[in-house]
Amino acid sequence: MNPSTSIDNAAHVAPPGATRRQFLLGLGAGVAGTAALGAAAWKYIDPAQQTQPFYGHHQAGITTEQPAAGMVVAFDVLSKNKDELTALFKRLSERFAFLTQGGPAPEVDQRLPPLDSGILGPQIQPDNLTVTLSVGASLFDERFGLRNKKPIHLERMTAFSNDQLNPAECHGDLLLQFCANTAETNLHALRDIVKHTPKLMAPRWKLDGFLPPSQVPNRFGFHTARNLLGFKDGSSNLDIYDEPLMNEMVWVNPQHQDVDWATDGSYQAVRIIRNLVERWDRTPLKEQEDIIGRKKASGALIGQHHEHEEADYGQHPETSQVPLDAHIRLANPRTMAMQKHRILRRGFNYDRGLTASGQMDMGLLFICYQANLQAGFINVQTRLNGELLEEYIKPTGGGYFFALPGVAPGSYLGAGLLA
């Protein structure tokens, strides 16, 4: 299923290379003098009205265009048996379906608590919201009789050599990934879901993320967002519009020989990676670029001129100017053997203020998807063990999860798992 929004692509498609601003300016010029059409055009492109489909073979929020605001929340399931777990998944599906499409907030007697937090007002706008439900390895213990249904590659995340994991920010029975145009929409959705699932699940840990709105991919121009080290992050990411590639690398299908119900789902790795920005900001520019393997300003590979030029060190390892121990070269040597280890990245930056010692607590909320967790993230991260970048980063939390397959109208997320 291709990523989509409520925008009519046949009627309004930006020319190749056009920025959102250029497209909007051109649109405004084309309807000048026609008040009604002008008003309709501006309403048409209102980001708050953007919607993503809830129903489909795959969950939204994985190969969907990435908006500016993200949030992940891990939960411990409080349900006592499989029937209560099924009720939880049905309730979550109902709330996702409503929140992602929007509508009027329900009214109640003033003597009762309101059914909605009210932070978005009486009319809940969809605002490009997606909520993606994933399950952790701990859900497949003895509580619900699901042990023999655990996806083959799903496991509890263990520490790599540079990790300093905080147990309070690791793992979870469930993980919800919220993505929207604005942080308020994500917060509204979280509060709605918590309010509607009492005694069924409890938040375990949470982290909000963001991307610069001007650097978010959209239908009016694609840009590679920068991380808080100042480098473009994801220049060589997988193409979400290449369906055969997504079916091979991201979506579990029968050729991957996983458990039957997992078809159309995806393995998800989440990592909280603190950036030691004070130390990084005192490092010479050339050293920074050698550590990463790209030019900081343009995003081009060292020795090349443009961000999306292909790396040549796969075929010509000795002549490439990208250092052998650069981050991007260790992560992906660009050899034929590495093709099966590629991942789809969908990360956000984060900022949590200051640590107790007065250092800035900011970094990368790393999220990636793949059809095989071992071949994907775990393989790539193992290659990075001992890299030079470890002096400037410290992974502190996260976990491994499995994003459930999509849902058909009349059914609910996880129906195949719980049947």
Side-chain angles (χ1 to χ4, degrees), residues 292-343:
I292 300 299
R294 290 186 179 272
K295 303 296 288 185
K296 194 169 189 176
S298 66
L301 294 163
I302 294 175
Q304 296 181 252
H305 303 287
H306 306 293
E307 177 188 354
H308 297 293
E309 285 183 84
E310 289 295 328
D312 62 357
Y313 47 77
Q315 292 75 29
H316 308 283
E318 302 304 324
T319 59
S320 173
Q321 295 184 40
V322 178
L324 288 169
D325 55 1
H327 174 80
I328 63 169
R329 192 161 177 175
L330 291 173
N332 186 358
R334 300 302 200 280
T335 61
M336 289 300 296
M338 274 301 297
Q339 296 301 307
K340 64 182 179 181
H341 300 300
R342 291 176 296 168
I343 58 178

Side-chain angles (χ1 to χ4, degrees), residues 31 40 67 76-77 89 103 138 152 170 220 233 252 281 284 335 366 384:
V31 299
D76 292 324
V77 170
F89 279 29
S138 56
I152 290 176
C170 292
F220 309 107
D233 199 336
V252 172
D281 290 343
T335 61
F366 177 93
L384 293 172

